[in-house]
Amino acid sequence: IFSLIPDKIFFAEHIGRYTHAFESAARLFGSCGICNKTLLRTIVQEILCNIIDDIYSTLLYSQRNPVEYAKSYIEQYFNCPLSVDNISSVVGLSPSYLRTLFKKSEGESPNHYLNRTRIEHAKEMLLSEMFTIEEVASACGFQNVYYFSRVFKKYTGTPIFFRSLYLPIIKPTAVLSIK
């Protein structure tokens, strides 16, 4: 059912909220007697009413405060290919009007906010030795490692330099032999 609802209307946290309820309803349906069918119908109707309320609330929120809605969308989908055109269509504004409102409200452009969000997530990943710089770039929504490095350098310095500042450098120790 969630695949029928566009991403721009329904955030992932809504889906998680109802997955358990639908699973419970499905289990009830599998073991359902005649008296439980009424209960099952009531549960499904309640779930659907809550979903409709969430969609309505999300749309109403986006109309009241499009900049906050855009920021939430960026924070949730920073790892996807995003542009001001994408974000403005989700929010329901023209790209130029979103840029104007965003700049007035946040003091920076939506692109700057997107890159800053991506870089903050990249910094967290770089502090772990588990990920290569290429993996960090990809996981944070950058198309390639070169563009990632260029953007990262604007905010923080190079990714390698950042990593070297915070991760201990392990050097092999010399073995002394006494003869």
Side-chain angles (χ1 to χ4, degrees):
I1 188 169
F2 297 116
S3 63
L4 301 174
I5 302 169
D7 282 343
K8 62 177 148 182
I9 292 177
F10 216 58
F11 280 143
E13 68 256 14
H14 296 134
I15 295 170
R17 195 177 328 159
Y18 296 110
T19 300
H20 179 70
F22 272 114
E23 288 169 352
S24 298
R27 279 192 301 278
L28 180 62
F29 183 73
S31 65
C32 201
I34 295 198
C35 64
N36 286 338
K37 288 190 181 193
T38 304
L39 176 62
L40 177 63
R41 183 179 301 134
T42 304
I43 290 170
V44 171
Q45 284 175 340
E46 185 176 326
I47 292 169
L48 292 174
C49 286
N50 287 332
I51 289 171
I52 291 167
D53 285 346
D54 279 344
I55 292 171
Y56 178 75
S57 297
T58 301
L59 289 172
L60 188 63
Y61 179 73
S62 72
Q63 291 170 354
R64 282 191 189 150
N65 195 337
V67 172
E68 287 301 317
Y69 186 69
K71 285 171 53 180
S72 295
Y73 191 81
I74 288 169
E75 288 162 12
Q76 184 168 354
Y77 296 105
F78 72 90
N79 58 337
C80 300
L82 287 180
S83 68
V84 175
D85 287 343
N86 300 125
I87 299 164
S88 66
S89 70
V90 168
V91 175
L93 301 174
S94 72
S96 63
Y97 190 53
L98 177 63
R99 282 185 196 96
T100 301
L101 287 179
F102 209 98
K103 180 79 171 174
K104 184 177 180 182
S105 173
E106 300 303 309
E108 64 184 339
S109 70
N111 276 332
H112 188 268
Y113 184 84
L114 171 61
N115 283 335
R116 199 166 46 79
T117 301
R118 287 175 168 169
I119 296 302
E120 289 304 314
H121 286 278
K123 285 160 78 172
E124 290 176 23
M125 290 182 74
L126 286 169
L127 293 178
S128 166
E129 293 183 54
M130 292 175 42
F131 306 105
T132 65
I133 292 174
E134 291 82 6
E135 290 169 331
V136 172
S138 178
C140 292
F142 289 95
Q143 298 301 317
N144 61 62
V145 72
Y146 304 107
Y147 181 64
F148 166 69
S149 294
R150 203 171 80 217
V151 173
F152 195 93
K153 188 175 181 178
K154 285 182 186 177
Y155 293 89
T156 311
T158 67
I160 294 170
F161 179 72
F162 176 83
R163 188 173 254 178
S164 71
L165 284 176
Y166 294 99
L167 292 179
I169 299 172
I170 301 171
K171 296 180 181 177
T173 56
V175 178
L176 297 174
S177 61
I178 304 175
K179 292 186 183 185

